[in-house]
Amino acid sequence: MEISAKKSLGQNFLKDEQVLQNIAQTISPDLNDLILEIGPGQGALTKHLLLKGCHYLGYEIDKRMISILKNITSNVIFDDFLSRDLSLDLKDIVYQNLYVVANIPYYITTPIIEHLISSQLNFEKIVLLVQKEVAERFCAEVHSKQYGFFTVYLNYYFSVSKLFEVSRNCFQPVPNVDSAVVCFEKKDTPVIDTKKYFSFLKICFGNKRKTLKNNLKSYDWDKIEKFLESESLSTNVRAEEISSQQFLKLFEVLNS
Ligand code: SAM
C-alpha cells in the first residue's frame, strides 16, 4: 500500500539501498546491544538495522505506518518521540550498549538531540541523518562561520563528526536540501553544573557583533583577562574564536 508523504512530519523517505546500507554499517553492535530508531517510517532503514540481530526499539508518530511496520517488527512505539520518557521505555529491556541510528525528521533536529541528552542515557554512539548545513554547524571548527553556541554545547557531551553526505535525490519526495550523516560519540566530560554552563555559553554567544568582554559585562573581568592572557587570546576576542575546551576552562575559572 502506498502511503503519501506528510511534509508536516518531515517525511522524506530514503530510497537508496546503498546509502541505507552505509548508514547501518556505521555501527557494529553485539547481539545484546540495543538500537533506537526515531521515525522508522516505512521501515527502509529498519530492515537494515534489524539485520544486526540485536534488540531494536523504534518510535514512529504516524500511525498510518502500523500496517507496514507490523510486517517488519513489533518493537515500535507509535507516539511522539519527544513526549516519551526514554528511561521508562527501556527499563524492561536488558541490554549492554545503546545506539541511536535514524533518518530523523529535520524540523525537530535540535529537540531530538536535546531529548536524547536530557534522558541521561549512556549512548555508545548516535548516528543521525540531518540537513547538510546543520551537520556542518555541529562539526564546525572554531573561527569558522558555522561555529556557534550549539557546536560548543554538543562538544561538551560528544565528539561529533560528519561521516558522509547524502544527495537530496536519494529521498522520496526529493527535499530542497542535501543531507549528511553525523556521528556523536560520548566523551569523558568534567562534571559541572550544565544548566549554568549552557546559560553562560548563551551569554558568550549572545550578541555576535560584540566582543566576549562586552557580552560578559556582568562577570569578573579580572579573572577573564587573566584567562585570556594565559590562553594567548586578545582582550577583544569574540566567542567564535574560543574553542570548546577553552570555554570549559573559562567557565571553571569564573566559578572557582
Ligand atoms: N526512516 C524512514 C526512512 O529513512 O525512509 C523515514 C524517515 S522520515 C525523514 C522521518 C520519520 O519520522 C517519518 O516517518 C515521520 O513520520 C517520523 N516522525 C516525525 N516526527 C516524529 C516524532 N515527533 N516522533 C516520532 N516520529 C516522528
Side-chain angles (χ1 to χ4, degrees):
M1 186 183 70
E2 188 68 22
I3 292 182
S4 58
K6 275 192 187 167
K7 216 175 165 186
S8 61
L9 292 178
Q11 290 181 346
N12 294 97
F13 302 110
L14 243 183
K15 293 293 177 192
D16 187 307
E17 280 301 315
Q18 188 57 56
V19 172
L20 288 161
Q21 206 172 314
N22 292 348
I23 296 174
Q25 272 169 4
T26 59
I27 59 160
S28 308
D30 288 330
L31 293 182
N32 53 357
D33 289 344
L34 168 64
I35 303 173
L36 297 187
E37 185 186 10
I38 304 144
Q42 306 187 35
L45 181 59
T46 318
K47 286 180 193 156
H48 289 266
L49 298 176
L50 291 173
L51 287 176
K52 305 275 175 192
C54 61
H55 303 285
Y56 167 92
L57 180 64
Y59 291 91
E60 175 54 61
I61 200 168
D62 188 350
K63 294 198 172 62
R64 295 179 305 158
M65 303 300 173
I66 293 177
S67 58
I68 297 178
L69 287 173
K70 71 167 194 254
N71 300 317
I72 305 173
T73 173
S74 52
N75 298 336
V76 177
I77 295 175
F78 287 92
D79 197 2
D80 178 356
F81 172 73
L82 299 176
S83 72
R84 303 296 303 188
D85 179 334
L86 303 188
S87 300
L88 207 61
D89 289 341
L90 269 52
K91 80 173 191 333
D92 293 328
I93 309 174
V94 181
Y95 64 89
Q96 194 76 40
N97 295 305
L98 180 59
Y99 294 87
V100 177
V101 184
N103 169 19
I104 57 172
Y106 294 171
Y107 74 106
I108 45 170
T109 300
T110 304
I112 285 175
I113 296 171
E114 283 172 342
H115 195 55
L116 290 169
I117 290 174
S118 65
S119 73
Q120 296 192 347
L121 289 166
N122 190 16
F123 299 101
E124 186 67 20
K125 221 177 187 187
I126 301 173
V127 177
L128 302 178
L129 185 54
V130 299
Q131 191 178 325
K132 190 176 139 196
E133 282 71 27
V134 173
E136 279 158 6
R137 192 145 43 84
F138 289 173
C139 311
E141 295 290 338
V142 60
H143 291 287
S144 67
K145 220 174 95 195
Q146 293 93 338
Y147 185 80
F149 165 78
F150 211 64
T151 321
V152 183
Y153 167 77
L154 285 179
N155 249 278
Y156 170 73
Y157 294 102
F158 309 108
S159 301
V160 190
S161 51
K162 187 171 110 183
L163 300 184
F164 52 89
E165 294 182 4
V166 179
S167 157
R168 65 190 73 187
N169 298 316
C170 298
F171 298 86
Q172 191 58 250
V174 179
N176 296 327
V177 291
D178 288 314
S179 300
V181 175
V182 278
C183 174
F184 303 87
E185 283 178 276
K186 67 174 181 202
K187 65 184 194 192
D188 289 330
T189 39
V191 181
I192 53 168
D193 180 340
T194 45
K195 226 173 160 186
K196 204 168 163 191
Y197 180 52
F198 298 135
S199 28
F200 164 71
L201 287 179
K202 276 210 175 112
I203 296 169
C204 292
F205 283 96
N207 188 330
K208 276 233 162 201
R209 276 167 309 174
K210 281 191 181 173
T211 60
L212 187 76
K213 183 177 180 176
N214 280 325
N215 278 332
L216 290 182
K217 271 212 162 103
S218 57
Y219 287 79
D220 184 337
W221 175 245
D222 279 350
K223 283 186 177 177
I224 300 173
E225 199 171 30
K226 270 193 202 122
F227 165 80
L228 294 176
E229 203 181 309
S230 69
E231 293 290 319
S232 308
L233 291 165
S234 142
T235 46
N236 291 323
V237 73
R238 286 169 206 276
E240 294 73 31
E241 299 165 292
I242 300 176
S243 72
S244 303
Q245 297 93 306
Q246 286 172 326
F247 271 119
L248 256 179
K249 270 196 218 168
L250 175 57
F251 178 73
E252 281 169 343
V253 164
L254 288 171
N255 287 286
S256 61

